[in-house]
Amino acid sequence: MSRIAVAGATGRLGRHVIDVLTERGHEAVPMSRATGVDIITGEGLAHALIGAEIVIDVASWHSSDEEAATEFFRTSARTLHSAGRDAGVSLIAMASIIGADRATAGFLAAKKVHEELLLAGPLPVRILRAAQFHEFVGQLLDWQPGDVAYLPALPSQLVACRTVAEALVDLALDPAGPRPGAPVPEIAGPRKELLSEAGRLLGERRGVEVVAVDGSGMPDADLAADGAFLPGPHAVLAGPGFREWLDGQASEAR
């Protein structure tokens, strides 16, 4: 059994990471402001890291604003490295986004900086890049209240949060870790699909009409249209697909 601290433990991905660690018999230490731990100010962090061997960083900023997100990641990276080194943590494992290394604007560009800053710190760092989550589609619809939503017809390879959490825990606990010089590990769903089409499937269940648009107003839309944010040939592809995931969510709600 390992003691593993999880930054962003109450977030969309963090909740699954806590579940996976607990199910596998590890001691998971949830770190979020809700649990009295602030990875920006450092409040409660030293105490939370006592005895922790690994930090899994899935904390995120709550909006897509590039400048604010970059500042959040800059500060959190510095704070986690400093407190982790003082506590004797052996490594940090972080969740990033496929294509972040190619991004030039928006939230993905902030994640690119996040990767660079964590890698530059004193502790060893392992990165898992994931495709956009199935849950992200619902967030896109939530941002457009009403009976009609406009979603970009951009390609993605959506993946379930639970699937990403399992892969991230595997990466964090792998005794050997990625081999030197290997590509950054990636995980994505089993098939390519358009965000607008996934939105249409969810919209049908919510009573929302989804209209596909070209996405030209989004950061790096041209890169996205060319497939820059799709998984590479070395990526692990894992289900469920979006439709299967939706069916599972509906079954759980009954």
Side-chain angles (χ1 to χ4, degrees):
M1 183 181 74
S2 299
R3 180 176 168 88
I4 302 171
V6 181
T10 55
R12 182 179 290 115
L13 177 56
R15 291 192 293 269
H16 288 284
V17 172
I18 293 290
D19 287 346
V20 172
L21 288 170
T22 302
E23 290 165 12
R24 296 185 183 183
H26 300 289
E27 182 183 0
V29 182
M31 300 197 303
S32 70
R33 284 180 292 180
T35 66
V37 182
D38 193 322
I39 63 170
I40 298 301
T41 66
E43 179 184 358
L45 186 55
H47 183 267
L49 292 180
I50 293 174
E53 302 168 43
I54 297 170
V55 170
I56 295 181
D57 182 10
V58 291
S60 190
W61 185 242
H62 56 75
S63 78
S64 59
D65 181 78
E66 180 182 349
E67 183 176 352
T70 300
E71 183 57 30
F72 174 84
F73 291 132
R74 178 179 291 113
T75 305
S76 67
R78 181 175 62 243
T79 305
L80 286 175
H81 266 294
S82 177
R85 178 183 54 192
D86 292 345
V89 167
S90 62
L91 69 89
I92 297 173
M94 71 163 291
S96 188
I97 304 171
I98 291 174
D101 54 322
R102 296 184 285 274
T104 66
F107 186 81
L108 262 67
K111 286 299 292 184
K112 178 181 181 179
V113 174
H114 189 200
E115 289 186 12
E116 294 169 348
L117 291 169
L118 275 179
L119 289 170
L123 296 175
V125 171
R126 296 178 184 175
I127 298 172
L128 175 68
R129 292 182 183 144
Q132 291 287 0
F133 303 148
H134 291 328
E135 291 84 349
F136 177 63
V137 180
Q139 187 176 354
L140 290 175
L141 294 186
D142 291 340
W143 288 342
Q144 301 182 60
D147 297 332
V148 180
Y150 300 87
L151 267 60
L154 295 175
S156 183
Q157 202 146 328
L158 298 163
V159 66
C161 268
R162 169 73 189 206
T163 302
V164 176
E166 292 172 350
L168 185 57
V169 170
D170 288 343
L171 178 66
L173 294 173
D174 184 347
R179 69 182 186 277
V184 174
E186 295 180 352
I187 186 162
R191 65 186 67 90
K192 184 171 74 172
E193 49 201 332
L194 297 179
L195 280 176
S196 56
E197 178 58 22
R200 184 188 64 77
L201 292 173
L202 179 57
E204 288 175 350
R205 301 176 189 228
R206 291 190 179 184
V208 175
E209 179 187 0
V210 171
V211 177
V213 295
D214 65 6
S216 58
M218 297 179 62
D220 287 334
D222 290 344
L223 287 174
D226 289 339
F229 304 138
L230 294 174
H234 67 286
V236 172
L237 306 183
F242 186 73
R243 185 187 293 272
E244 294 79 14
W245 176 81
L246 271 183
D247 291 341
Q249 296 292 300
S251 297
E252 291 177 10
R254 294 193 189 105

